[in-house]
């Protein structure tokens, strides 16, 4: 069994003249703004909330204001004109001036984007009204209108202003009506898009979560059993939107019969029984409203009903075309549902077996749906009654799941993407891998795999075909330009091998190897930068190697970037937290009743890899989840207890505060993960996000907002900057254009990194300023 895991009371924001965090209704006002604060030995008095009476002004007071949650003082200290420029270190002053400039750029861009998006919303609403007679076109226009609404919600810094916008209200009301109508008419794509965007708007309440799950299940079933039909739906959607059609459908590696192999009733019943017995939300004496076996069975039955009413599946299961036969099967489904609903006691494993056997028999008899397909959907439906992280890992998913947890996979070692023509393009062969040694190059287009055309394949299809058992062969045919600019095809037969996936990255790539990074974002000040992309079995080893490299060159401070890190192994989160936290609790797990089930403390580490003695800024955002929240939360808790000097900066984390146990199921071709506990960092506050919650995740000490356009630009630049195109000899192709990650700061694209850098510079620059007072 493996363990897989997915409250900062002091919080600052930099106000309207500075960094405006889009916390809106998701958080309250900054704490600590109405009482006297001891800031690094300098006495500060506040007469009114947010009004500064006097404060000593030194570089170190910048950090102190952020650490103490003193928003007003911090805003003033990050205003260049508040300093006597002759006294302040020129490098720190230049950084403050650049930050101030970039903040103003962001706010000007925010206002421009609000105006543009509002105009776009009106344009799509008008187009919707004009195209009502064309259902497909009007649905697309309304979906685009709702996409504009979602963007406006992110851009606005005022919840009331957003919901009082008449165009916003109109788009939401129309979307509610049209989504239900589209589903009733079998337009799954439009219904799914509308419900997905409605759910994004009302995410906190979970109002549309069930609708999103149901439509997602319908499309997933079509993808599984009738993938060509899903291709048709997507292609029709593109054409109706005025886009180029998709390449011809490619069925290679897309056979559902292969994906269902190994699924049987024992496997599914074992998974459901274990979930009913172990799930953290199950009914107990202390939790009488919890989930029971009855709920799991009913949810499984609902999924079968969804399957039968997804009309596109009649392309595969002919029996669904016969209305009479389909109605007979639906009667059996209704009867089984009524039996479970009528039970006055908790259903047992025997009740599960009887219901499942009845559905399996009727499904095959009336509509000819094969047993393992019904089991697949019943199992998925049953797990949906629990939480988003409890699931059966089916045979075709098991290898991908292992890759995600172990940080390795068996393949040839290439990064691929779809280009603008939907071709599978080699981004780069990884250094030292079979593909690189064979001669595969960056920008090669994969035309065939094992002699079969790759045109029309999706990325997941391509990955599944190219990867496989170790020491087996795969042949890929690529198209490239020769030295004369002519397109030629080359064929490579490559032996699959284990490929390690590193999770620790630095600031700027210097070579093709996994450890060839410049880890310093500011070499002169000794400020390092480490980006952790996951928590796999080698993460701590990679991290320690990077820290030793930086310490050998003089490490004075560190930015730890956990943004977009989805989590991983619990043991690695504890191990890495121990590099920052010298002693005390890292994390504890509790059950639904609040009983502590385990408690992990900081582990002793060598001074060579310890970071407890230097200032650290941890970056988080909505994409930081699970193990990222344990690590950032443990560092924050230790800082709030004055054990270390650290700040958490960015935006509130995702809120995946649950622990999953992973089990192999009978037959060893499938597995399951079941949520058994929640984790806490330093308080009883729930980190896990549950429907209707107003608090979750890790709240940063300092909220720094980035516009959606900034986030997108930063991600694209970082992705390109992290890739060094290689030739077949493993040499860097020098004449390719590659962006400079330093422009993330100079252009103000990544304000979170830039703010972290200013804070750390205030700690690493020798404080030679004269102490002055500001009023």
């Amino acid at each position: 069994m493996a363990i897989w895991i997915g409250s900062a009371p002091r919080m600052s924001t930099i106000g309207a003249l500075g960094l405006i965090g889009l916390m809106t209704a998701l958080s309250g006002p900054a704490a600590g703004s109405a009482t006297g604060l001891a800031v690094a030995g300098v006495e500060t008095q506040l007469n009114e909330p947010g009004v500064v009476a006097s404060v000593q002004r030194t570089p170190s007071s910048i950090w102190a204001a952020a650490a103490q949650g003193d928003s007003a003082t911090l805003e003033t200290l990050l205003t260049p004109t508040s300093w006597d420029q002759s006294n302040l270190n020129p490098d720190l002053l230049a950084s403050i001036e650049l930050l101030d400039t970039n903040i103003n750029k962001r706010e000007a861009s925010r206002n421009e984007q609000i105006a543009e998006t509002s105009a776009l919303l009106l344009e799509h609403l008008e187009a919707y009204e004009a195209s009502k007679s064309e259902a497909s076109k009007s649905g697309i226009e309304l979906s685009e209108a709702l996409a504009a609404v979602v963007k406006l919600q992110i851009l606005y810094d005022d919840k009331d202003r957003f919901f009082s916008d008449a165009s916003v209200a109109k788009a939401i009301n129309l979307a509610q009506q049209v989504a239900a109508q589209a589903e009733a008419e079998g337009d799954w794509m439009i219904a799914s898009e509308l419900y997905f965007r409605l759910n994004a708007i009302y995410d906190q309440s979970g109002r549309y979560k069930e609708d999103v799950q149901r439509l997602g299940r319908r499309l997933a079933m079509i993808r599984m059993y009738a993938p060509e039909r899903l291709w048709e739906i997507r292609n029709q959607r593109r054409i109706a939107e005025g886009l180029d059609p998709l390449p011809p459908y490619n069925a290679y590696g897309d056979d559902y019969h292969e994906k269902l192999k190994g699924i049987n009733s024992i496997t599914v019943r074992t998974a459901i029984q274990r979930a009913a017995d172990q799930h953290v939300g199950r009914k107990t004496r202390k939790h009488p409203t919890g989930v029971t076996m009855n709920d799991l069975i009913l949810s499984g039955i609902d999924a079968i009903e969804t399957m039968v009413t997804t009309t596109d599946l009649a392309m595969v299961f002919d029996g669904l075309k016969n209305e009479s036969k389909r109605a007979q099967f639906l009667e059996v489904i209704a009867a089984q549902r009524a039996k479970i609903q009528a039970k006055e006691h908790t259903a047992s494993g025997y009740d599960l077996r009887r219901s499942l056997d009845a559905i399996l028999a009727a499904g095959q008899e009336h509509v000819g749906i094969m047993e393992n397909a019904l089991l697949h959907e019943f199992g998925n439906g049953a797990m949906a009654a629990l939480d988003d992280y409890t699931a059966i890992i089916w045979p075709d998913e098991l290898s991908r799941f292992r890759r995600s947890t172990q940080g390795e996979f068996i393949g040839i070692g290439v990064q691929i993407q779809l280009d603008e023509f939907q071709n599978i393009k080699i981004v780069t062969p990884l250094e030292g891998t079979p593909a690189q040694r064979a001669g595969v190059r960056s920008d090669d287009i994969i035309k065939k795999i094992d002699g079969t055309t790759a045109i029309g394949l999706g990325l997941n299809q391509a990955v599944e075909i190219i990867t496989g058992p170790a020491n087996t062969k795969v042949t890929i045919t690529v198209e490239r330009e020769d030295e004369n600019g002519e397109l030629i095809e080359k064929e490579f037969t490559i032996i699959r091998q284990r490929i390690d996936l590193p999770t620790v990255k630095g600031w700027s790539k210097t070579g093709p190897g996994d450890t060839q990074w410049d880890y310093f974002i500011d070499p002169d000040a000794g400020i390092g930068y480490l980006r952790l992309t996951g928590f796999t079995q080698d993460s701590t080893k990679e991290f320690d190697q990077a820290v030793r490299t930086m310490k050998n060159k003089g490490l004075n401070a560190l930015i730890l970037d956990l943004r977009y890190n989805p989590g991983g192994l619990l043991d690695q989160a504890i191990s890495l937290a121990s590099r920052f936290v010298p002693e005390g609790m890292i994390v504890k797990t509790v059950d639904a009743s609040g009983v502590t089930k385990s408690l992990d403390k900081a582990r002793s580490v060598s001074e060579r890899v310890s970071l407890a003695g230097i200032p650290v800024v941890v970056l988080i955002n909505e994409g930081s989840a699970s193990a990222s929240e344990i690590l950032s939360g443990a560092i924050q808790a230790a800082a709030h207890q004055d054990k270390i000097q650290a700040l958490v900066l960015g935006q509130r984390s995702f809120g995946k505060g649950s622990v999953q146990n992973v089990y192999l199921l009978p037959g060893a071709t499938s597995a399951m993960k079941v949520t058994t506990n929640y984790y806490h960092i330093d308080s009883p506050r729930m980190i896990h996000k549950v429907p209707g919650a107003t608090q979750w995740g890790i709240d940063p000490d300092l909220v720094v907002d980035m516009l959606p356009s900034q986030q997108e630009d930063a991600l694209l630049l970082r992705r390109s900057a992290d890739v060094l195109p290689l030739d077949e000899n493993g040499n860097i192709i020098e004449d390719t254009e590659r962006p400079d990650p330093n422009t993330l700061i100079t252009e103000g694209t990544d304000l979170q990194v830039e703010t972290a850098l200013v804070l750390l510079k205030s700690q690493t620059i020798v404080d030679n300023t004269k102490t002055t007072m500001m009023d």
Side-chain angles (χ1 to χ4, degrees):
M1 181 184 74
I3 302 295
W4 179 257
I5 58 168
S7 74
R10 299 177 288 185
M11 178 177 68
S12 299
T13 61
I14 304 178
L17 298 179
L19 299 172
I20 302 179
L22 283 182
M23 300 301 283
T24 61
L26 302 182
S27 68
S33 60
T35 59
L37 299 171
V39 182
V42 180
E43 188 67 12
T44 303
Q45 297 87 27
L46 303 182
N47 297 331
E48 298 177 19
V51 178
V52 178
S54 63
V55 64
Q56 287 185 327
R57 185 169 45 198
T58 64
S60 59
S61 61
I62 296 174
W63 179 281
Q68 294 296 333
D70 189 349
S71 303
T73 298
L74 182 61
E75 180 178 326
T76 302
L77 290 170
L78 292 181
T79 303
T81 55
S82 69
W83 292 90
D84 180 348
Q85 298 187 11
S86 64
N87 285 337
L88 189 62
N89 177 280
D91 185 39
L92 178 57
L93 177 60
S95 295
I96 292 174
E97 289 175 336
L98 180 61
L99 178 61
D100 185 63
T101 298
N102 289 335
I103 289 166
N104 291 329
K105 281 174 58 177
R106 182 201 60 194
E107 291 311 307
S109 179
R110 185 199 302 276
N111 291 331
E112 290 174 3
Q113 290 183 41
I114 287 175
E116 291 170 358
T117 307
S118 296
L120 188 64
L121 170 58
L122 284 172
E123 180 182 321
H124 284 300
L125 285 175
E126 290 172 0
Y128 165 77
E129 294 291 349
S131 61
K132 278 184 177 179
S133 59
E134 302 176 60
S136 61
K137 186 175 180 181
S138 64
I140 291 173
E141 293 294 347
L142 186 56
S143 181
E144 292 299 324
L146 207 59
V149 171
V150 173
K151 185 175 181 180
L152 279 174
Q153 187 179 34
I154 299 171
L155 289 170
Y156 276 130
D157 56 358
D158 186 327
K159 176 184 176 183
D160 293 334
R161 180 185 172 196
F162 168 73
F163 281 109
S164 64
D165 186 308
S167 296
V168 166
K170 180 179 179 180
I172 290 174
N173 290 334
L174 284 172
Q176 292 169 339
Q177 301 168 27
V178 174
Q181 181 181 348
E183 183 175 11
E185 295 174 354
D187 191 347
W188 319 124
M189 188 66 73
I190 289 298
S192 177
E193 288 181 20
L194 292 174
Y195 278 131
F196 179 83
R197 286 167 175 160
L198 285 167
N199 187 59
I201 296 167
Y202 293 98
D203 176 64
Q204 187 171 320
S205 68
R207 184 187 304 182
Y208 295 97
K209 184 176 181 179
E210 288 186 6
D211 300 301
V212 170
Q213 288 178 334
R214 183 181 63 257
L215 267 299
R217 189 175 297 137
R218 289 191 192 278
L219 289 171
M221 289 176 185
I222 298 171
R223 175 71 184 85
M224 177 74 164
Y225 304 107
E228 186 170 6
R229 174 55 185 153
L230 184 62
W231 175 90
E232 291 174 357
I233 293 171
R234 291 177 56 226
N235 195 46
Q236 291 166 1
R237 173 70 167 81
R238 287 180 62 87
I239 293 172
E241 199 174 351
L243 301 175
D244 292 335
L246 293 171
Y249 171 68
N250 191 326
Y252 190 34
D254 228 2
D255 184 357
Y256 73 87
H257 295 90
E258 291 295 319
K259 295 179 181 181
L260 294 176
K261 282 183 177 178
I263 298 176
N264 57 57
S265 180
I266 295 175
T267 297
V268 173
R269 286 189 283 112
T270 300
I272 295 173
Q273 186 68 64
R274 178 163 275 162
D277 292 342
Q278 297 188 12
H279 192 266
V280 66
R282 68 189 182 277
K283 181 179 179 180
T284 63
R285 288 182 179 178
K286 292 186 177 181
H287 190 205
T289 60
V291 180
T292 66
M293 176 66 85
N294 308 56
D295 299 307
L296 271 66
I297 297 173
L298 289 172
S299 189
I301 291 172
D302 289 343
I304 297 299
E305 183 176 62
T306 298
M307 184 183 197
V308 177
T309 56
T310 302
T311 51
D312 298 89
L313 297 182
M315 298 176 62
V316 182
F317 305 114
D318 288 342
L320 293 177
K321 297 176 182 177
N322 187 315
E323 289 292 334
S324 174
K325 294 289 188 181
R326 191 159 63 96
Q328 288 177 327
F329 186 29
L330 287 171
E331 288 177 6
V332 173
I333 291 171
Q336 292 303 314
R337 180 186 288 116
K339 284 183 180 179
I340 299 300
Q341 290 173 335
K343 283 189 172 296
E344 297 180 357
H345 57 80
T346 300
S348 64
Y350 177 68
D351 294 316
L352 167 65
R353 182 169 184 171
R354 289 186 63 185
S355 289
L356 189 52
D357 285 349
I359 287 171
L360 294 177
Q364 293 173 79
E365 176 186 351
H366 296 302
V367 291
I369 300 179
M370 56 202 305
E371 179 176 300
N372 45 6
L374 292 166
L375 287 167
H376 187 275
E377 303 317 320
F378 189 96
N380 283 342
M383 296 299 111
L386 299 167
D387 67 315
D388 293 337
Y389 309 103
T390 297
I392 298 174
I393 305 162
W394 301 104
D396 67 304
E397 301 168 337
L398 193 55
S399 61
R400 289 196 298 273
F401 178 77
R402 284 171 171 161
R403 287 199 300 266
S404 69
T405 59
Q406 296 170 0
E408 65 178 55
F409 69 96
I410 307 299
I412 63 174
V414 291
Q415 293 180 2
I416 60 175
Q417 66 181 25
L418 291 177
D419 67 10
E420 64 271 29
F421 304 109
Q422 304 297 304
N423 294 315
I424 299 171
K425 178 182 176 181
I426 304 289
V427 178
T428 186
L430 304 179
E431 195 270 336
T433 59
Q436 184 261 312
R437 292 195 299 269
V440 175
R441 298 179 185 174
S442 298
D443 296 328
D444 282 349
I445 300 295
I446 298 177
K447 305 298 287 187
K448 298 177 183 178
I449 304 173
D450 285 334
T452 302
T453 181
I455 296 173
L457 288 179
L459 287 181
N460 288 336
Q461 284 177 291
V463 169
E464 288 301 307
I465 299 165
I466 294 172
T467 58
N471 301 316
T472 59
K473 294 180 180 179
V474 61
T475 299
I476 63 171
T477 304
V478 303
E479 181 181 81
R480 66 169 63 149
E481 288 186 0
D482 64 11
E483 59 273 11
N484 299 316
E486 300 287 335
L487 289 177
I488 62 171
E489 286 192 354
K490 290 185 70 73
E491 187 176 281
F492 300 97
T493 298
I494 305 172
I495 297 177
R496 300 178 177 103
Q497 293 180 357
R498 166 182 163 167
I499 308 296
D500 293 322
L501 299 176
T503 57
V504 176
K505 302 179 185 294
W507 179 245
S508 180
K509 201 87 170 75
T510 59
D514 295 341
T515 61
Q516 290 181 280
W517 289 93
D518 181 353
Y519 294 109
F520 285 96
I521 189 172
D522 188 333
D524 295 334
I527 300 175
Y529 171 91
L530 289 178
R531 184 162 27 106
L532 194 62
T533 61
F535 293 78
T536 64
Q537 58 190 5
D538 292 327
S539 291
T540 299
K541 181 176 70 174
E542 296 170 21
F543 189 88
D544 287 350
Q545 185 174 351
V547 169
R548 285 192 291 267
T549 298
M550 287 187 289
K551 283 197 168 187
N552 288 338
K553 296 180 179 180
L555 178 64
N556 298 322
L558 179 70
I559 297 174
L560 175 63
D561 195 342
L562 297 178
R563 295 174 299 176
Y564 307 105
N565 184 323
L569 296 173
L570 172 63
D571 181 69
Q572 292 295 303
I574 296 167
S575 177
L576 286 165
S578 300
R579 270 69 187 153
F580 298 89
V581 180
E583 52 85 22
M585 187 186 87
I586 299 295
V587 63
K588 66 178 180 179
T589 59
V590 300
D591 63 17
S593 301
V595 177
T596 298
K597 308 302 290 186
S598 67
L599 190 150
D600 290 282
K601 295 184 177 181
R603 302 165 183 171
S604 177
V605 301
S606 165
E607 182 63 29
R608 296 177 63 197
V609 298
S610 174
L611 297 165
I614 65 170
V616 173
V617 174
V618 183
L619 304 182
I620 61 171
N621 65 4
E622 304 94 327
S624 307
S626 192
S628 295
E629 295 172 291
I630 287 181
L631 177 54
S632 58
I635 293 172
Q636 186 182 62
H640 288 179
Q641 296 162 17
D642 297 322
K643 295 177 181 178
I644 58 174
Q645 190 178 7
L647 286 168
V648 176
L649 182 153
Q651 294 170 317
R652 176 161 50 178
S653 63
F654 182 79
K656 197 277 184 180
S658 58
V659 179
Q660 282 74 46
N661 285 356
V662 180
Y663 301 95
L664 271 178
L665 295 172
T669 60
S670 300
M672 73 171 299
K673 52 190 180 111
V674 55
T675 301
T676 55
N677 296 295
Y678 295 122
Y679 66 73
H680 290 182
I681 305 299
D682 61 342
S683 75
R685 184 168 72 92
M686 175 70 76
I687 300 300
H688 195 70
K689 183 180 182 180
V690 295
T694 57
Q695 284 191 322
W696 66 84
I698 302 299
D699 284 320
D701 300 297
L702 180 61
V703 176
V704 179
D705 181 32
M706 288 173 60
L707 303 179
S709 57
Q710 291 178 309
Q711 294 180 39
E712 181 180 358
D713 291 345
L715 281 171
L716 290 174
L717 188 147
R718 172 53 69 187
R719 185 179 69 180
S720 298
D722 285 354
V723 174
L724 289 176
L726 305 176
D727 62 22
E728 59 265 37
N729 298 315
N731 299 317
I732 300 172
I733 302 174
E734 298 292 350
D735 60 349
T736 56
E737 293 185 6
R738 193 167 66 95
D740 180 1
N742 289 308
T743 59
L744 292 169
I745 296 171
T746 58
E747 298 297 322
T749 308
D750 195 333
L751 285 171
Q752 292 166 351
V753 166
E754 186 179 358
T755 305
L757 185 58
V758 169
L759 289 169
L760 290 174
K761 280 186 176 182
S762 75
Q763 294 298 286
T764 56
I765 290 175
V766 177
D767 192 352
N768 293 323
T769 56
K770 295 178 182 179
T771 300
T772 58
M773 302 293 288
M774 65 183 180
D775 297 323

